[in-house]
Amino acid sequence: MSSTAAVGTPSGLRLPRWAAPAGAAALIVAAYLVFRGTGTLPHDKEAPQFLAVTELREWIDEHRNDNPLFLYFLNYIRLFVGSLYDLFAGALTALGWPGLTGVLGGLAWLAGGRRVGLLAVAGVSAFGVLGLWQSSVDTLALVAVAVLLSLVIGVPIGVWAGRSERVRRAVTPVLDVMQIMPTFAYLAPLALFFHIGAPAGAIATMIYSIPPAIRITALAVSEVSPTAVEASASLGATRRQTLFKVVLPLARPTIALAVNQTIMMALSMVVIANLIAAPGLGGDIIRGLSRAQVGIMLPAGVAVVVMAIVLDRMTTALARRGPHTRPRRIDLAAAGALAVAGLALIPVLPRAWPESWTLDVTAEINAAVRWAETSWYPVTTFVKDQTSLLLLNPLESLLTSAPWWLVALTVLAVAWRVSGPRAALTALGCLLAIALLGTWEHAMQTMTTVALAVLVTLVIGLLLGVAAARSPRYSAVQRPLLDAAQTMPAFVYLLPALALFETTRFTAIFASVIYAVPPVVRLVEDGIRAVPAEVVEAAVSAGSTPGQLLWKVQLPMARRAILLAANQGIVMTLAMVVVGGLVGAGALGYDVVVGFSQRTDFGLGFVAGVATVLLGVMLDRITQGADRRPSPQRRKST
Amino acid sequence: MKIRLLAGLLALGMAAAGCGGATVESSPSASAGAPQGGSSSSAGTVKIAINPWVGYEASANVVAYLLKNELGYTVELPEIKEQLAWEGFENGSVDVIIENWGHPDLKKTFIEDKKVAVEAGSTGNKGVIGWYIPKWMADKYPDITDSKNLNKYADLFKTSESGDKGQLLFGDPSYVSNEDALIKNLKLNFKVVVGGSEAALIKGAQQAQEQQKPLLFYFWDPHWLFNKTQLVRVNLPAYTEGCDADPKKVACDYPEMDLDKIVSKKFADTGGKAYELVKNFHWTNEDQNAVANDMTNNGMTGEQAAKKWVEANTATWQAWIPK
């Protein structure tokens, strides 16, 4: 971008650089003032588009038991996944807590040595201590099934995509949709095709967790050095031999990362999967929500976080290990001893976690939350009211009262300027599709909250990221907090948020900020750290103060990372649109919830889900020009 | 466990062996693995869906407790939202919905058209949906409980979400609702703000009473919240038979609903004593609120609360047990 300034027109008449954007902005403002209130597209709950989708749903529902697609295909998938789940749940339950602790501890020790091994033992025990043994086992089984299916299907597709540019280009948009589509929006269709229960839950989880398996495997395979492949080919290896003997072993550490990310995604889906009657920790969380008690939800949330941390450390340790290092003999012995000890104890100890060993802190947590609610309330209401008054309401009325064509033109102009013609046309296409789908007004309202949430996320993310980049000690303190914020199911912090900010759009913004800040902080921190040390030294020796160093050197040089952070902030915020609909954000998020809850509004919910995806793609295209597309493992790195 | 797995594989094999494809009914059990292998000695398994509100859970737990301890059944309690639970009748993942609030559309689809479910009589609970305010408001403005005077106080109910109108807070979209039509037809200067969940309503009500904050919201009885927070109902024009026939023209209060039980056709035909017990189950709003309150506010699990009620009310439930 900076080069455009230098290549000014040589002619005599030279406008300042800001003249064109300023002129365009003035034109848009003038057009808005003239045409305000005309050409708006108000929301119609019974638009023909919605009704058509609802009818289609009814038709499919009626033919579920005589349509060959169901009889010979979908129902078998359901049966297969159901048996697989029963197999896993049965095996894990049969192990009981002594066996599971021993076996998982042993595996963890094998993967990452003593520290990870002990962490796993402590983690598995924590499920019992929290009083959530059975739910945790069910969740573990569900995650195991989803991850297994994701890898069995995803890794081959990933390998293929890594070796063929054409396949990669065909697969990428599908994966984008799978990731931006609100999970709620495909629960209802899934229940239609696979009914409710554990199999449907496992399939829903798999849909959400398969994209990283494909993306990262493709990246791993495409990054294998071409010389190695050539050398292998020139030695007379067949394509098959090259793939299995050269490419895959070299790509192994990155593929291990794919496994890691797949597990993390699956874990973040288990709560939502409970809404279609999948068993596990999600049930405890939803129960806490319906009783308005954080004390019930928090332990279950902590169990999810603990599970994520244990599995993350295990798979990361595997990924870090070189392709040919074997575990030391002493580690093998220790791991084996742990597993055998656990298995040997199965007949001795009760299989269910003894109730006297659990710790019930429900009442204490509830009391603490209540205290915070009552004593912070005056401050939080003030913040909420001012934000709504000064930012949310004006922006929302601006977007909803502007004619649709003016909004479209503005989007086109901004996207063109930032990201070039191709991206601009895609963005425009998405916006027009939203209008055609009949969700314009709600999309504009959703855009308001998303815009503000992204803004807040960026401000907080920049502050924390800069602080972490400057002080390694602070960074170390902050890291586990970020881990927890990212893996803690969002439902858990909805209740305190509701109590502090009531059922408002602000509550939704608050929740999505918590969810979206961690990756932004990480990207900013990485970006500033990546500024070469020589540059920093040169600036310091030239006499820069720390403030000057930050503003004149570090931030400008980290610009790309910061823009990528903004892009990620948008994607993450959109993922929270539906959760926001549960606490008062209304608009598209609520439509999706309505569609999920009422059969007659199925179409509305489904279309709102599609509109959310379109909104996501549009915002992504507008901002992507600032930086090329994010690399896949950064999309949702933990 | 092994048996269940075998059964699953067997079902798969049988289905593959030319019964003309698999229908959903032949699927293996869809719910959570029962702890410690469902032993063969039990009388059978009953699946009672748990819809997400505590009053429902209270009823379900009491019935489950009696099924287990008096009749020796195994009981599974899968957690499913209202409308999805009805779909569970079709594939056998749900046998019983223990507390149903109206839903004539679902009754038509699943009972009349698909014939996979049947009604199993009243629960004895009376469901009352209505508009509520915190008690302090009724004390301070005595005439506010008449909906005709609501416009006079609309300013009080203004929030950051409702603009220049008063706010009427609504809950989960799966609830029965006439709110928009009522506001329009009664010419009220109010706007429905959608909370999106029961939690949004409960938190709002608790705060409104504690912090003396104005709030008008949609709520229902029986609910444990009435044991904890004082709420007063706003009187809408009285319900008369048929005044809610056209959803767009509704201008009257909600009718008192007789909550009932719905069971799958298969369970009604083959459920034996378990079905008899479900059919006989009949109690009062006070009974339900007592159990729900123990579960929500006294830190008891559903099973503990059910046990407490069962031990204190032998006479009531003895009559439900089939001879």
Side-chain angles (χ1 to χ4, degrees):
Chain A
M1 277 297 200
S2 54
S3 60
T4 46
V7 199
T9 39
S11 67
L13 193 111
R14 221 162 133 178
L15 286 167
R17 200 151 52 101
W18 47 265
L27 268 178
I28 289 169
V29 171
Y32 171 72
L33 290 175
V34 174
F35 294 105
R36 177 174 45 181
T38 64
T40 56
L41 303 171
H43 184 69
D44 174 11
K45 206 175 166 226
E46 301 192 336
Q49 301 91 311
F50 305 159
L51 296 181
V53 177
T54 308
E55 264 167 40
L56 178 68
R57 184 215 176 280
E58 293 300 324
W59 184 84
I60 294 176
D61 195 24
E62 266 163 40
H63 293 81
R64 199 148 41 180
N65 278 337
D66 54 34
N67 185 309
L69 179 68
F70 278 95
L71 291 180
Y72 297 102
F73 184 62
L74 293 177
N75 290 349
Y76 280 111
I77 295 184
R78 188 189 143 81
L79 284 171
F80 171 72
V81 176
S83 319
L84 204 59
Y85 173 79
D86 282 349
L87 177 72
F88 272 96
L92 292 180
T93 312
L95 278 175
W97 66 268
L100 190 58
T101 314
V103 170
L104 213 65
L107 283 176
W109 195 306
L110 217 54
R114 195 176 47 157
R115 280 185 58 182
V116 181
L118 293 179
L119 179 78
V121 170
V124 175
S125 315
F127 302 149
V129 174
L130 290 167
L132 294 163
W133 180 258
Q134 190 58 44
S135 316
S136 304
V137 166
D138 290 343
T139 294
L140 211 53
L142 192 73
V143 169
V145 173
V147 169
L148 188 73
L149 290 175
S150 293
L151 294 178
V152 167
I153 302 170
V155 169
I157 298 181
V159 170
W160 196 16
R163 284 156 73 88
S164 152
E165 177 68 15
R166 200 184 301 163
V167 175
R168 199 179 60 76
R169 248 185 285 146
V171 167
T172 305
V174 180
L175 299 183
D176 281 343
V177 170
M178 285 164 90
Q179 281 189 312
I180 307 180
M181 186 82 159
T183 42
F184 258 80
Y186 55 76
L187 280 187
L190 256 183
L192 177 63
F193 288 115
F194 296 106
H195 259 286
I196 49 179
I203 294 172
T205 310
M206 187 201 86
I207 293 184
Y208 192 62
S209 64
I210 206 172
I214 299 177
R215 280 207 161 106
I216 303 179
T217 309
L219 180 79
V221 170
S222 66
E223 276 181 352
V224 168
S225 110
T227 21
V229 178
E230 267 168 42
S232 156
S234 67
L235 286 172
T238 61
R239 274 180 71 91
R240 208 187 146 77
Q241 281 169 330
T242 309
L243 178 64
F244 283 97
K245 303 276 172 189
V246 180
V247 175
L248 287 184
L250 282 173
R252 208 197 59 135
T254 317
I255 294 181
L257 184 67
V259 178
N260 172 293
Q261 285 300 299
T262 308
I263 294 176
M264 295 302 123
M265 299 288 277
L267 269 172
S268 66
M269 184 67 195
V270 287
V271 176
I272 309 244
N274 174 262
L275 295 174
I276 46 172
L281 291 166
D284 300 278
I285 291 174
I286 306 285
R287 191 173 323 123
L289 190 66
S290 74
R291 292 189 201 172
Q293 288 196 32
V294 185
I296 301 177
M297 305 167 83
L298 191 63
V302 170
V304 173
V305 173
V306 166
M307 204 178 279
I309 289 175
V310 169
L311 294 174
D312 174 63
R313 298 301 181 266
M314 278 170 72
T315 42
T316 324
L318 272 182
R320 287 214 184 112
R321 205 184 302 145
H324 297 296
T325 38
R326 295 184 169 280
R328 288 178 301 160
R329 195 166 294 168
I330 180 158
D331 283 335
L332 265 178
L338 206 54
V340 169
L343 292 174
L345 284 174
I346 296 177
V348 187
L349 295 169
R351 270 195 284 175
W353 184 270
E355 226 166 89
S356 55
W357 294 9
T358 59
L359 192 68
D360 189 4
V361 285
T362 315
E364 287 78 5
I365 297 173
N366 283 340
V369 172
R370 278 199 91 67
W371 173 82
E373 285 168 12
T374 36
S375 42
W376 297 348
Y377 183 75
V379 182
T380 51
T381 355
F382 177 77
V383 171
K384 177 212 61 163
D385 284 343
Q386 293 308 313
T387 316
S388 303
L389 193 69
L390 298 175
L391 288 172
L392 272 177
N393 292 346
L395 186 59
E396 185 173 313
S397 67
L398 176 77
L399 282 173
T400 46
S401 69
W404 65 268
W405 49 265
L406 187 62
V407 177
L409 273 179
T410 314
V411 163
L412 185 70
V414 172
W416 198 303
R417 167 122 185 117
V418 178
S419 305
R422 242 186 104 136
L425 289 175
T426 316
L428 181 69
C430 290
L431 195 63
L432 295 181
I434 288 173
L436 284 178
L437 285 174
T439 52
W440 178 270
E441 187 179 348
H442 283 186
M444 290 301 116
Q445 289 168 350
T446 298
M447 212 154 93
T448 311
T449 49
V450 168
L452 197 66
V454 171
L455 192 74
V456 177
T457 306
L458 274 183
V459 171
I460 297 178
L462 270 176
L463 287 176
L464 297 184
V466 168
R470 296 189 136 199
S471 153
R473 195 176 299 164
Y474 171 71
S475 169
V477 174
Q478 184 176 260
R479 190 164 290 267
L481 288 177
L482 295 183
D483 280 342
Q486 222 174 351
T487 35
M488 179 66 82
F491 285 110
V492 176
Y493 45 80
L494 281 188
L495 279 177
L498 269 175
L500 291 174
F501 303 110
E502 304 169 55
T503 36
T504 58
R505 288 159 296 166
F506 192 87
T507 310
I509 292 178
F510 178 81
S512 54
V513 166
I514 293 185
Y515 185 66
V517 154
V520 174
V521 173
R522 290 205 170 100
L523 285 168
V524 170
E525 185 186 342
D526 283 355
I528 291 181
R529 284 250 171 94
V531 174
E534 309 87 75
V535 179
V536 175
E537 259 167 48
V540 172
S541 63
S544 304
T545 63
Q548 283 171 332
L549 177 68
L550 181 67
W551 286 107
K552 307 272 173 189
V553 181
Q554 287 173 318
L555 284 182
M557 287 193 74
R559 188 172 153 275
R560 282 174 65 91
I562 293 169
L563 290 169
L564 178 62
N567 182 291
Q568 284 301 285
I570 292 172
V571 173
M572 304 285 285
T573 307
L574 274 165
M576 289 290 282
V577 160
V578 177
V579 172
L582 290 172
V583 289
L588 289 183
Y590 184 75
D591 292 345
V592 172
V593 181
V594 172
F596 177 67
S597 312
Q598 296 272 18
R599 286 167 71 93
T600 43
D601 285 322
F602 179 88
L604 169 71
F606 186 79
V607 171
V610 174
T612 313
V613 174
L614 290 169
L615 204 60
V617 175
M618 183 189 97
L619 291 172
D620 179 72
R621 290 300 182 275
I622 296 177
T623 49
Q624 74 164 195
D627 188 276
R628 284 299 113 202
R629 282 202 66 76
S631 62
Q633 72 269 49
R634 280 209 161 145
R635 291 218 118 207
K636 263 220 173 162
S637 58
T638 359
Chain B
M1 260 313 140
K2 257 190 201 145
I3 298 172
R4 280 195 31 198
L5 174 67
L6 268 179
L9 288 176
L10 212 66
L12 197 114
M14 266 165 32
C19 320
T23 56
V24 281
E25 284 88 355
S26 59
S27 61
S29 149
S31 39
Q36 289 131 63
S39 62
S40 50
S41 63
S42 73
T45 303
V46 183
K47 294 165 190 157
I48 308 178
I50 297 285
N51 286 179
W53 61 91
V54 188
Y56 184 109
E57 238 181 297
S59 298
N61 271 291
V62 167
V63 172
Y65 185 85
L66 293 173
L67 281 172
K68 266 190 226 166
N69 296 301
E70 296 296 318
L71 300 179
Y73 281 86
T74 308
V75 182
E76 289 179 14
L77 301 169
E79 282 148 358
I80 314 179
K81 280 200 133 194
E82 257 169 301
Q83 308 226 342
L84 283 171
W86 284 76
E87 301 193 10
F89 288 138
E90 257 182 289
N91 68 349
S93 62
V94 172
D95 295 322
V96 181
I97 289 178
I98 202 74
E99 179 179 297
N100 169 58
W101 288 68
H103 291 304
D105 53 328
L106 292 175
K107 281 189 176 169
K108 184 176 178 308
T109 308
F110 289 93
I111 296 180
E112 287 174 33
D113 298 348
K114 296 195 172 189
K115 299 191 171 48
V116 292
V118 292
E119 294 181 348
S122 160
T123 64
N125 290 132
K126 296 280 174 272
V128 185
I129 299 175
W131 292 4
Y132 290 84
I133 50 173
K135 181 161 180 301
W136 73 264
M137 287 194 92
D139 296 342
K140 194 166 172 191
Y141 313 103
D143 62 342
I144 201 171
T145 53
D146 188 333
S147 64
K148 285 194 202 76
N149 300 323
L150 274 178
N151 274 346
K152 200 162 79 182
Y153 296 104
D155 273 356
L156 280 179
F157 296 103
K158 262 198 239 170
T159 68
S160 60
E161 307 304 296
S162 63
D164 51 0
K165 296 179 174 174
Q167 165 176 299
L168 169 59
L169 187 63
F170 181 68
D172 183 304
S174 55
Y175 300 159
V176 178
S177 164
N178 297 332
E179 284 20 82
D180 281 312
L182 280 169
I183 285 180
K184 191 163 153 257
N185 298 332
L186 297 174
K187 302 197 174 50
L188 295 176
N189 188 22
F190 278 75
K191 181 184 166 190
V192 179
V193 170
V194 289
S197 53
E198 181 178 354
L201 294 177
I202 294 175
K203 279 286 170 198
Q206 286 176 337
Q207 230 155 18
Q209 179 62 18
E210 276 161 28
Q211 321 216 351
Q212 307 266 299
K213 226 162 41 91
L215 179 73
L216 175 68
F217 66 112
Y218 171 104
F219 213 63
W220 64 95
D221 189 26
H223 196 288
W224 58 266
L225 187 65
F226 290 97
N227 294 22
K228 295 282 283 186
T229 306
Q230 290 178 297
L231 305 170
V232 176
R233 191 159 174 213
V234 172
N235 297 312
L236 294 161
Y239 173 82
T240 50
E241 186 69 38
C243 72
D244 55 354
D246 182 351
K248 290 208 169 83
K249 290 188 184 145
V250 179
C252 59
D253 213 339
Y254 290 93
E256 187 179 278
M257 251 188 264
D258 189 17
L259 307 187
D260 61 348
K261 298 158 283 190
I262 311 288
V263 300
S264 74
K265 180 89 177 47
K266 201 171 134 216
F267 182 66
D269 293 341
T270 63
K273 286 191 169 180
Y275 170 63
E276 292 289 310
L277 173 60
V278 169
K279 220 173 74 176
N280 294 340
F281 166 70
H282 193 274
W283 66 352
T284 65
N285 283 11
E286 287 69 42
D287 287 324
Q288 191 191 66
N289 284 345
V291 178
N293 189 46
D294 276 341
M295 287 167 65
T296 318
N297 301 313
N298 299 337
M300 292 192 198
T301 64
E303 188 160 355
Q304 288 163 346
K307 184 163 183 269
K308 181 178 159 194
W309 184 89
V310 163
E311 278 165 8
N313 296 279
T314 321
T316 315
W317 60 262
Q318 282 291 357
W320 307 341
I321 304 292
K323 300 292 167 304

